[in-house]
Amino acid sequence: MSVQAGGELYLRSMTVADIDEVMAIETAAFASPWSRQFFLEELQATHAKSVLCQRDGKPIGYVIYWELPGELDIHNVAVHPRFRRQGVARAMLADIIERATSRGFRRMTLEVRKSNDPAQTLYRSLGFEVCGLRKGYYSDNGEDAWVMERKLAPSRNEPLQN
């Protein structure tokens, strides 16, 4: 998969060769980053998918998600802090929404920290709505997470995913 987005951003699937740069983004973006081993395991899982965003050939953000029966579950959205508020996360998520819709998935879900207002604003602007709460979801500080979902209209050209 590769998509040209916004003239400057290039989207493609993540590979093992990207792990060092992905880890640099992960550690810059999060106080409690996921481990290198976690990313390696995700890249090997058949249900795990990814979008890596590059600008000028350099990775600046990524999304890890799972394709489950009838839905996509977004596990991690990260953009290097130097590239935030430039449409990077929006471009990656819009790409996933478009592909999910064309493939007949019925919904997308994600969890977001209750304190992360900028991410919640982005997700709402993309059609996600709060549908639940996970108490103590984040292991680093016990913060609650909102569960958000976006319902997808199936494409007329593709069968529904089960």
Side-chain angles (χ1 to χ4, degrees):
M1 153 203 53
S2 64
V3 176
Q4 196 69 28
E8 294 183 19
L9 302 179
Y10 181 74
L11 305 179
R12 64 173 175 83
S13 294
M14 186 187 303
T15 69
V16 172
D18 299 313
I19 292 296
D20 288 341
E21 292 172 302
V22 166
M23 288 306 301
I25 296 166
E26 178 76 4
T27 56
F30 300 112
S32 296
W34 287 355
S35 70
R36 174 182 300 276
Q37 185 62 33
F38 174 83
F39 283 100
L40 291 171
E41 289 171 7
E42 287 294 295
L43 289 174
Q44 300 305 314
T46 57
H47 56 275
K49 307 295 180 195
S50 64
V51 172
L52 182 76
C53 182
Q54 295 178 297
R55 178 174 282 157
D56 300 324
K58 180 169 177 51
I60 61 171
Y62 62 86
V63 177
I64 301 270
Y65 62 97
W66 284 7
E67 290 185 348
L68 303 170
E71 72 179 75
L72 295 181
D73 186 35
I74 297 172
H75 288 190
N76 200 357
V77 178
V79 175
H80 193 285
R82 288 189 312 231
F83 298 98
R84 289 184 180 158
R85 301 211 175 268
Q86 297 178 30
V88 175
R90 179 176 300 280
M92 293 186 294
L93 290 167
D95 179 64
I96 294 168
I97 290 167
E98 180 180 316
R99 284 187 285 119
T101 300
S102 72
R103 293 192 52 217
F105 286 93
R106 296 180 188 190
R107 72 182 198 139
M108 297 173 66
T109 59
L110 57 82
E111 288 85 14
V112 60
R113 288 181 186 269
K114 280 184 76 174
S115 64
N116 193 343
D117 292 329
Q120 291 173 42
T121 299
L122 170 64
Y123 301 146
R124 282 188 181 96
S125 76
L126 290 167
F128 286 85
E129 296 178 350
V130 171
C131 65
L133 177 69
R134 297 203 197 285
K135 300 289 281 175
Y137 182 76
Y138 291 96
S139 61
D140 61 338
N141 65 359
E143 184 175 355
D144 297 344
W146 290 119
V147 179
M148 299 184 80
E149 81 171 338
R150 184 183 196 280
K151 296 196 181 195
L152 302 171
S155 168
R156 294 179 185 188
N157 300 328
E158 296 290 329
L160 291 177
Q161 293 286 320
N162 295 334

